[in-house]
Amino acid sequence: MQRHVDALSDGTFDLLILGGGITGAGVALDAATRGLRVALIDKGDFASGTSSASSKLIHGGLRYLEHGDFALVHEAMEERRRLLHNAPHLVRPLRLVIPFCAGDRVPAWKWRLGLTLYDALAGRDNLRRSQPLKLTQLHREFPGLQPAGLHGGASFSDAQMDDSRLCIEVLQTAATHGAVLANYVEAVAFEPGRVRAVDNVGGGELTIRARQVLNATGPWVDAVCRLAGDTQGPRLQPTKGVHILIRDTGLHSGFVLLHPDDGRVLFVLPWLGKTLIGTTDTLAVAGPDALGVQPEEIVYLLEAYNHYFTPPAGMSDVMGSFAGLRPLIRARPGEPSSLSREFRLFESPSGLLSIAGGKFTTYRRMAEVATDVVVKRLGMHRRCRTHDLPLDGAPAEPWLTFAARTTAELQEHGLDEAAASHLVNRYGRRAPDVAGYLDHAPHLAQRVVPDELDLNVEFVYQRKHEMAVRDDDSLLRRTRLGLFRTDATLRRPQLSVFPRSA
Ligand SMILES: Cc1cc2nc3c(=O)[nH]c(=O)nc-3n(C[C@H](O)[C@H](O)[C@H](O)COP(=O)(O)OP(=O)(O)OC[C@H]3O[C@@H](n4cnc5c(N)ncnc54)[C@H](O)[C@@H]3O)c2cc1C
């Protein structure tokens, strides 16, 4: 995947997508595999918006059952199965535990009912039936779990991912099917059939011509509509979600919990060798370009963790935090709530098509629907091909066989087993290409920081093949080191061993 800004001005594209989060990435892949000439730009790095700030779950969404969103849950479970098959290196099953406590907003019988429904909605796509958990079993498995009134629980299965890597992998796959992609290119003006853009790296201006333009800018959708002269909005009512990361607390399962203050559902999840806690859900007051994490948001999340687990975690245990905006559709008059994770497509008078809402899990389905509309508007007849399309890093052989064989092979490049396995789990079929750089530069086999698995060689590979332009592109989205290593060590000499030309 190369950044060729000049190629964006080359002729007329069938489809230009604004926004390289998971929504835009999904459409780029769908449209490119149908044979459309596709371009995609993002004003920052790919996945630098909401698509790197999710809870990392590929899930049906047990809590959406409370709102009666049965069709959405069923569809999301279908997509969960597809992703486990199409991206086995990035999406993995995850067991989740729900502790039942006396006096909770959601009583045990309601959880049980919800899980029965969740199993039924999954049907053939179920990963594992939900299981009741006795108090003794909970104590044995999770000695630190000690909320007041705990009397039992249940477990069920969903899946987990690394969101920004999955987004970049979808884009990488689109590029192999001919899509022209560039990060750091910002749409600044819209006229029917053309978009004026600025190269935020090189500094120049360019015009990109396209028969159809799709606005897939997530929380920026209303702002881009206004660029196109559409003042009918706002169509979105974004809500803000904050997560924090603390050291690994030894949890081998994720937890679905109710906040002791307001009864909201939140998660405590094992992720990348850390414990991820989130999320808050508040109406967004700041725009997507001015997001920050407030101390009271961290306190709110720590309160939930400490209500359930011992030893408690304090401010000094927080290794990192991040915030994202859910690009939720604003309820129309007479509609029940804006909480829905449904997505919507709408057209501006100028012909700009916009897509917003939805969830990460259902990006492929959203892309299918959006591309169907685009293809029809262009007078084409091309069917969706992404249902069973493996992403670029997905191996042809069964995942476990591939992972064991390749982990052993990579050790021939001088990597220890942990490092080899780390590359296989992050890059899948492309792991040998990453390790191949070590044949000429064995010193790059070093870890970036001693207690994390990320290797120096990854930064070289990411600059050459994953369009990492700035240090943060590698630190925050292609690895996640910058999320929990905010200390200066990351910005010092280790990274300067990666000259751009390496
Ligand atoms: C806290 C939180 C937790 C979540 N957890 C989950 C979860 O566990 N599972 C799940 O399925 N879903 C989850 N979601 C939902 C999911 O993350 C989002 O639905 C999804 O990431 C939205 O992607 P997007 O591409 O629409 O938007 P974004 O990822 O925000 O992408 C929009 C892109 O547009 C670019 N852009 C903006 N303006 C311009 C311009 N003028 N020119 C060019 N580019 C531009 C931005 O730079 C950005 O990269 C969560 C959301 C939040 C906020």
Side-chain angles (χ1 to χ4, degrees):
M1 182 165 76
Q2 308 292 335
R3 187 172 185 272
H4 292 307
V5 176
D6 290 349
L8 290 167
S9 311
D10 180 12
T12 301
F13 291 93
D14 292 320
L15 176 63
L16 168 63
I17 299 159
L18 311 179
I22 192 60
T23 307
V27 179
L29 177 58
D30 191 313
T33 51
R34 293 194 209 202
L36 272 68
R37 192 159 181 256
V38 177
L40 178 146
I41 57 172
D42 195 293
K43 72 171 182 166
D45 187 20
F46 302 134
S48 56
T50 310
S51 298
S52 53
S54 79
S55 301
K56 329 295 176 200
L57 291 172
I58 294 295
H59 60 161
L62 182 61
R63 73 201 161 105
Y64 305 137
L65 294 179
E66 272 197 300
H67 308 295
D69 281 339
F70 301 144
L72 178 76
V73 171
H74 175 67
E75 183 175 84
M77 285 170 161
E78 229 171 54
E79 293 303 320
R80 183 183 70 185
R81 170 183 51 81
R82 291 201 167 102
L83 270 167
L84 284 161
H85 175 263
N86 296 340
H89 54 310
L90 292 174
V91 182
R92 302 282 164 68
L94 176 72
R95 177 180 180 242
L96 288 149
V97 171
I98 308 172
F100 299 158
C101 302
D104 269 354
R105 177 181 69 80
V106 182
W109 68 264
K110 211 168 169 187
W111 279 124
R112 287 194 200 100
L113 185 67
L115 287 170
T116 306
L117 199 55
Y118 206 60
D119 285 335
L121 285 168
R124 280 187 312 129
D125 295 335
N126 212 356
L127 302 174
R128 200 161 173 260
R129 272 193 84 76
S130 59
Q131 307 279 327
L133 290 171
K134 292 210 168 77
L135 188 58
T136 46
Q137 202 176 340
L138 279 172
H139 283 325
R140 198 170 50 245
E141 268 199 73
F142 308 104
L145 179 72
Q146 292 181 14
L150 181 68
H151 60 86
S155 69
F156 68 104
S157 291
D158 255 317
Q160 192 180 34
M161 53 148 175
D162 184 340
D163 48 8
S164 52
R165 283 219 61 90
L166 183 52
C167 179
I168 288 163
E169 180 100 7
V170 173
L171 287 165
Q172 187 114 23
T173 315
T176 65
H177 287 272
V180 175
L181 316 170
N183 51 4
Y184 296 105
V185 175
E186 177 170 1
V188 292
F190 175 91
E191 292 165 32
R194 70 183 65 191
V195 163
R196 202 148 49 76
V198 171
D199 179 352
N200 286 334
V201 175
E205 264 203 20
L206 59 150
T207 299
I208 311 171
R209 292 180 173 75
R211 297 170 66 201
Q212 179 64 57
V213 180
L214 178 72
N215 169 14
T217 55
W220 289 266
V221 153
D222 284 320
V224 171
C225 281
R226 285 194 294 275
L227 278 186
D230 180 344
T231 50
Q232 295 170 33
R235 267 103 171 185
L236 298 189
Q237 185 159 26
T239 67
K240 180 183 176 189
V242 169
H243 288 85
I244 56 173
L245 282 154
I246 60 172
R247 71 186 156 70
D248 181 14
T249 51
L251 298 175
H252 51 80
S253 299
F255 281 80
V256 180
L257 306 173
L258 299 171
H259 196 285
D261 287 353
D262 56 17
R264 277 194 50 251
V265 172
L266 45 76
F267 301 106
V268 172
L269 304 166
W271 187 62
L272 299 184
K274 308 281 173 287
T275 297
L276 178 67
I277 306 172
T279 166
T280 61
D281 192 359
T282 50
L283 272 188
V285 279
D289 290 308
L291 268 187
V293 176
Q294 302 306 317
E296 57 272 21
E297 292 168 324
I298 298 181
V299 168
Y300 173 88
L301 295 172
L302 286 174
E303 258 172 26
Y305 179 82
N306 293 338
H307 176 80
Y308 287 91
F309 295 100
T310 56
M315 275 291 191
S316 60
D317 295 304
V318 178
M319 303 176 77
S321 59
F322 55 89
L325 288 188
R326 298 175 186 83
L328 300 183
I329 302 291
R330 184 177 286 267
R332 291 178 186 145
E335 274 185 345
S337 111
S338 61
L339 270 178
S340 170
R341 265 51 172 176
E342 302 277 338
F343 73 97
R344 199 163 289 158
L345 270 164
F346 46 88
E347 188 183 351
S348 300
S350 57
L352 176 72
L353 202 58
S354 296
I355 180 167
K359 334 195 299 173
F360 203 116
T361 305
T362 50
Y363 81 84
R364 194 212 60 80
R365 175 70 190 140
M366 287 166 66
E368 181 180 350
V369 174
T371 315
D372 280 348
V373 171
V374 170
V375 159
K376 199 166 165 204
R377 287 164 68 108
L378 297 178
M380 295 169 156
H381 299 280
R382 312 262 174 95
R383 293 174 64 162
C384 177
R385 297 176 55 193
T386 57
H387 297 91
D388 303 308
L389 184 81
L391 296 189
D392 195 45
E397 62 195 306
W399 170 250
L400 291 177
T401 316
F402 167 84
R405 179 179 60 73
T406 313
T407 301
E409 284 170 11
L410 291 196
Q411 291 172 61
E412 289 163 20
H413 296 273
L415 295 172
D416 60 29
E417 193 183 343
S421 163
H422 161 74
L423 291 187
V424 169
N425 284 314
R426 179 169 279 169
Y427 299 91
R429 193 183 59 81
R430 292 187 287 120
D433 301 342
V434 184
Y437 280 90
L438 298 174
D439 297 342
H440 304 288
H443 63 284
L444 294 175
Q446 263 184 1
R447 293 179 178 202
V448 180
V449 285
D451 48 350
E452 301 293 343
L453 286 168
D454 311 76
L455 305 178
N456 282 327
V457 69
E458 294 183 65
F459 289 83
V460 176
Y461 181 82
Q462 290 164 2
R463 281 206 193 276
K464 279 182 114 38
H465 301 282
E466 295 187 340
M467 226 185 275
V469 176
R470 300 184 170 150
D471 281 353
D472 274 355
D473 303 343
S474 277
L475 290 169
L476 291 175
R477 290 169 286 275
R478 286 157 189 77
T479 75
R480 310 311 289 265
L481 274 173
L483 285 181
F484 38 83
R485 293 297 298 245
T486 42
D487 51 306
T489 51
L490 287 174
R491 319 228 171 225
R492 292 222 179 118
Q494 284 102 335
L495 285 189
S496 61
V497 297
F498 314 121
R500 291 253 160 117
S501 57

